[in-house]
Amino acid sequence: MNPTDQRKSKLTINWHTRNAESIRLIRERFKLPSYTTVNGWTPCEIAPEDMPMFEETARRGYFSIINIPWVCNGNTYSWL
């Protein structure tokens, strides 16, 4: 994840699946961090060309997309 890339959309996802293999594959496909909060939130930056597939994955029920702003300070994520 490159925090300086201005083209990417900064989103938060809320995981609905508990399947570890599905989560691993989604993280690899969209280059999501391994970080997940206690509430099941994961911050992510999605490139515009990946957005249709990302939204389809959400539509299929693996996670929901939450538009909550966040910042990364070193290894710490904070939601605003």
Side-chain angles (χ1 to χ4, degrees), residues 55-63:
E55 290 172 342
E56 176 63 20
T57 307
R59 190 190 68 75
R60 291 181 183 220
Y62 290 100
F63 56 81

Side-chain angles (χ1 to χ4, degrees), residues 7-80:
R7 294 181 326 118
K8 293 185 177 182
S9 299
K10 289 179 86 168
L11 304 168
T12 301
I13 62 171
N14 183 19
W15 293 100
H16 296 298
T17 184
R18 299 290 179 235
N19 185 313
E21 182 66 11
S22 295
I23 292 172
R24 184 186 66 78
L25 292 171
I26 291 168
R27 286 185 194 278
E28 285 178 8
R29 168 65 177 86
F30 298 108
K31 299 174 183 66
L32 303 180
S34 60
Y35 178 80
T36 300
T37 67
V38 173
N39 297 332
W41 292 4
T42 298
C44 57
E45 292 182 289
I46 305 299
E49 58 271 11
D50 289 335
M51 195 55 94
M53 179 69 77
F54 187 74
E55 290 172 342
E56 176 63 20
T57 307
R59 190 190 68 75
R60 291 181 183 220
Y62 290 100
F63 56 81
S64 58
I65 300 171
I66 307 169
N67 289 316
I68 298 177
W70 57 269
V71 295
C72 180
N73 297 320
N75 291 333
T76 304
Y77 293 95
S78 300
W79 279 264
L80 307 174

